[in-house]
Amino acid sequence: MSKVILITGASRGFGKIWAEAFLKRGDKVVATGRSIAALQDLADEYGDQVLPLQLDVNDREASFAAVNKAKEHFGRIDVLINNAGYGLFGTVEETSEQEARSQMETNFFGVLWLTQAVLPVMRAQKSGHIIQVSSYLGLITVPVLGIYNASKFAVEGLTETLASEVKAFGINVSLVEPNGYATNWSGDSAFQTKSMEIYNPVKEAFQQAASIPGFFGQPEATAEAILKLVDAANPPLRLLLGAFAYPAVKEAYQERLASFEEWKSVSEAAHGEPLTA
């Protein structure tokens, strides 16, 4: 049975690849993007299978309107994939107020608005799957992407909470956490802060780490994983994508646990005398 899938940021990158994968197998797709023209090729090739919608996810009212249009057009929404987002490159000190706010508006609040908009639809259906495209940088951090890291950490916290709130309604919730991929995310889709020379060594080290052969995954290779995630009867809360994500996250979490253990006595003493009933 075909599904109705709403994907934000479907005009390029992961969103475009995944939209085409769903359409090729017969699903129906509501494809949103900032430019309706960038979605026209999908409409030309797949006709009534796809509903292209222009949407700026920063606009809460427009996000609710898009969900309503999708529901009216196809009668239901089985899957929401919150994919729209971008990278902001620059150190924490370099980042302006507007750059920081804009990053959070799209990467966090855009996810929140679409999630809030689709929940009444899925609750009425007593079924649905909300997939948030986070990053392995929502679990660990790297320098030069501080605000981006923060936006994805926020998405992680929001989504883990959401999963515990909506499970009883028959709604599944998942986080997709890719490592670096060769998409436009770090190219013309990205934004750069105004550089401070003192941070050049940090940026050079970052660039060197990212230049390891094979560091960036092939975006097309993710399509099969997303199809399996959508089709799973019991989908995971978190799905890492790529060969570098798992070892990087494992190492960081082992270091955290070791640090917690080292300072455990200090932590426990900070509780004071336990309260008794």
Side-chain angles (χ1 to χ4, degrees), residues 90-125:
T91 66
V92 171
E93 186 177 358
E94 290 171 340
T95 307
S96 70
E97 178 182 356
Q98 188 55 56
E99 287 168 338
R101 290 185 181 278
S102 295
Q103 179 81 124
M104 295 301 295
E105 280 289 337
T106 298
N107 289 11
F108 174 73
F109 285 104
V111 166
L112 175 59
W113 304 151
L114 266 297
T115 299
Q116 289 181 331
V118 83
L119 281 171
V121 176
M122 292 183 172
R123 282 193 292 99
Q125 295 170 175

Side-chain angles (χ1 to χ4, degrees), residues 10 28 66 73 131 137 149 153 165 182 199 232 239 244 264 267:
K28 298 177 176 64
H73 189 84
I131 299 173
L137 298 181
N149 296 336
F153 267 69
E165 294 173 342
Y199 286 109
L239 175 64
F244 287 88
K264 182 181 176 184
S267 301

Side-chain angles (χ1 to χ4, degrees), residues 9 12-19 83 133 178-179 181 183 219 222 241:
R12 62 168 76 183
F14 286 142
K16 186 70 165 286
I17 291 166
W18 299 344
N83 169 67
V133 180
N179 56 211
Y181 276 84
T183 66
T222 64
L241 295 183

Side-chain angles (χ1 to χ4, degrees), residues 100-269:
R101 290 185 181 278
S102 295
Q103 179 81 124
M104 295 301 295
E105 280 289 337
T106 298
N107 289 11
F108 174 73
F109 285 104
V111 166
L112 175 59
W113 304 151
L114 266 297
T115 299
Q116 289 181 331
V118 83
L119 281 171
V121 176
M122 292 183 172
R123 282 193 292 99
Q125 295 170 175
K126 299 182 180 180
S127 67
H129 191 178
I130 298 173
I131 299 173
Q132 322 285 39
V133 180
S134 179
S135 168
Y136 83 132
L137 298 181
L139 299 169
I140 64 174
T141 67
V142 295
V144 190
L145 282 164
I147 309 304
Y148 177 83
N149 296 336
S151 72
K152 294 303 185 179
F153 267 69
V155 168
E156 294 275 335
L158 172 76
T159 305
E160 186 171 310
T161 304
L162 176 71
S164 67
E165 294 173 342
V166 302
K167 189 68 175 178
F169 302 131
I171 301 171
N172 292 312
V173 179
S174 298
L175 285 150
V176 172
E177 298 154 335
N179 56 211
Y181 276 84
T183 66
N184 286 323
W185 175 83
S186 59
D188 59 8
S189 292
F191 285 78
Q192 301 278 347
T193 62
K194 186 177 179 181
S195 184
M196 295 172 62
E197 188 175 349
I198 197 170
Y199 286 109
N200 285 352
V202 175
K203 295 179 182 180
E204 288 167 6
F206 171 78
Q207 291 294 339
Q208 186 175 1
S211 64
I212 297 171
F215 179 79
F216 291 100
Q218 299 173 349
E220 294 77 11
T222 64
E224 187 62 30
I226 296 303
L227 294 178
K228 288 180 179 179
L229 178 63
V230 165
D231 291 342
N234 185 29
L237 175 60
R238 288 182 168 87
L239 175 64
L240 294 166
L241 295 183
F244 287 88
Y246 175 77
V249 171
K250 181 179 180 180
E251 179 182 2
Y253 274 52
Q254 287 174 333
E255 291 176 357
R256 288 181 193 179
L257 288 171
S259 179
F260 292 153
E261 188 68 28
E262 181 182 357
W263 285 82
K264 182 181 176 184
S265 61
V266 177
S267 301
E268 292 175 340

